[in-house]
Amino acid sequence: MNSCIYNGEVTHTRFKPVKHFLKYKTFSLLIDLDEVTKLDKSISIFSYNSFNIFSFYDIDHGERDGGSLKEWVHENIRKFNIEVNITKIKILCYPRIFGYVFNPLSIIFCYEKDKLKVVFYEVKNTFNEQHTYIFKTKDHEAITQKCKKKFYVSPFMDMKTYYNFTLLNPNNKLSILIKQTDKRGPILTATQTGDKKELNLKQLVINFFKYPFMTLKIIGSIHYEALLLWKKGAIYRKRNIKLKNNLSYEEY
């Protein structure tokens, strides 16, 4: 199976306008979209597009209309004239747990045979909005990419900033670094790291108790940390544009 679990942690370090640090333990699924139906059939507590203790829904990603995520990826590769022949698609995301999930960031890895060719970064905010940044890769193992921020996420962060993505093609280790900068330097760094585990019934049972109510804790932590930032003096920025889904092809 190409699908797996990564047990690890997420950190955020803010440098300005106020300093702040957070860290929490999480686990993510890396799902090969060609295997998701097989996972549904072979793991009793995991389901595809239906309720279970753990589940994965197409409607949580892509166009978020319930259509095939795999087809949505192929459609956008054609739309932006990205000249690759994608043969395998994997998504890194949190699962639904008892029907609930919030994914601040999901990453879709697109392969031509065994070479990573295209990466989709799905960024969501707590207003149920999403923007997907699409990049073609230059290196299939160590990936570095940069783009302008185009989407309102944190109410305490300016829009006129840049995202700098650094990640490894996921294997035995998961390593993701996102540095947000302005013209004067770093504003925030966010990391996600993890160790690879098999995606099977035993490991999901272990993780259910090791990371209790993880998806609820994630959304709770986001609001709690926002309160702490506000108390430290961070200035609230109102969002001017409201959207459901948007995407951009970044030629960097």
Side-chain angles (χ1 to χ4, degrees):
M1 299 286 279
N2 292 312
S3 304
C4 64
I5 297 174
Y6 287 103
N7 290 351
E9 65 182 25
V10 168
T11 70
H12 282 205
T13 306
R14 287 180 181 255
F15 302 101
K16 56 184 181 181
V18 297
K19 293 184 178 181
H20 190 68
F21 176 78
L22 66 89
K23 178 172 71 173
Y24 53 90
K25 293 186 180 299
T26 64
F27 76 91
S28 295
L29 305 185
L30 182 67
I31 297 176
D32 184 327
L33 295 184
D34 288 331
E35 296 177 349
V36 66
T37 301
K38 184 177 180 180
L39 292 168
D40 175 70
K41 293 178 179 179
S42 62
I43 303 175
S44 59
I45 61 173
F46 175 86
S47 291
Y48 174 44
N49 286 335
S50 62
F51 181 85
N52 206 327
I53 297 174
F54 298 97
S55 52
F56 173 82
Y57 280 74
D58 284 312
I59 202 169
D60 295 331
H61 305 280
E63 194 60 33
R64 297 193 292 169
D65 59 359
S68 167
L69 177 60
K70 184 178 176 180
E71 288 303 314
W72 178 83
V73 171
H74 284 293
E75 286 172 9
N76 281 289
I77 287 173
R78 290 192 296 267
K79 175 182 176 180
F80 292 107
N81 298 314
I82 305 173
E83 296 181 357
V84 291
N85 179 28
I86 298 303
T87 57
K88 182 166 54 182
I89 301 169
K90 300 179 184 181
I91 181 168
L92 179 76
C93 62
Y94 297 135
R96 288 197 188 196
I97 301 179
F98 288 116
Y100 180 77
V101 70
F102 176 67
N103 272 290
L105 173 68
S106 305
I107 303 178
I108 299 171
F109 300 90
C110 305
Y111 297 84
E112 185 175 43
K113 296 183 179 179
D114 292 326
K115 302 294 185 181
L116 181 60
K117 294 294 186 177
V118 183
V119 179
F120 289 56
Y121 299 93
E122 283 188 346
V123 181
K124 292 182 177 68
N125 63 24
T126 55
F127 301 100
N128 195 34
E129 298 169 337
Q130 175 180 286
H131 187 99
T132 303
Y133 301 90
I134 304 172
F135 290 86
K136 187 174 180 180
T137 64
K138 295 180 180 178
D139 187 311
H140 73 277
E141 291 295 339
I143 297 97
T144 57
Q145 294 155 333
K146 179 180 179 180
C147 66
K148 290 182 179 180
K149 179 182 177 181
K150 297 181 173 67
F151 176 61
Y152 180 96
V153 180
S154 169
F156 304 112
M157 193 74 70
D158 288 329
M159 285 294 297
K160 294 181 179 180
T161 59
Y162 298 87
Y163 287 136
N164 302 267
F165 301 97
T166 303
L167 64 152
L168 299 179
N169 185 0
N171 202 326
N172 292 326
K173 296 284 186 179
L174 179 69
S175 177
I176 300 166
L177 168 66
I178 303 171
K179 183 185 294 185
Q180 192 167 349
T181 60
D182 61 16
K183 293 180 179 179
R184 293 179 294 277
I187 302 171
L188 175 146
T189 58
T191 68
Q192 182 177 358
T193 56
D195 295 315
K196 185 178 182 179
K197 306 291 182 181
E198 288 190 31
L199 178 47
N200 54 31
L201 174 61
K202 179 182 177 181
Q203 190 62 52
L204 283 176
V205 170
I206 291 170
N207 280 19
F208 179 78
F209 292 102
K210 186 176 181 179
Y211 306 89
F213 304 105
M214 182 187 73
T215 52
L216 287 174
K217 286 184 176 180
I218 289 169
I219 194 68
S221 295
I222 288 170
H223 288 94
Y224 175 70
E225 299 295 338
L227 176 62
L228 294 181
L229 281 167
W230 177 74
K231 289 178 70 176
K232 286 183 176 182
I235 299 172
Y236 182 86
R237 275 85 165 172
K238 184 179 179 180
R239 84 191 198 280
N240 297 319
I241 300 174
K242 300 179 183 181
L243 53 86
K244 174 70 174 178
N245 293 316
N246 200 11
L247 48 82
S248 57
Y249 178 49
E250 307 294 340
E251 298 188 66
Y252 287 93

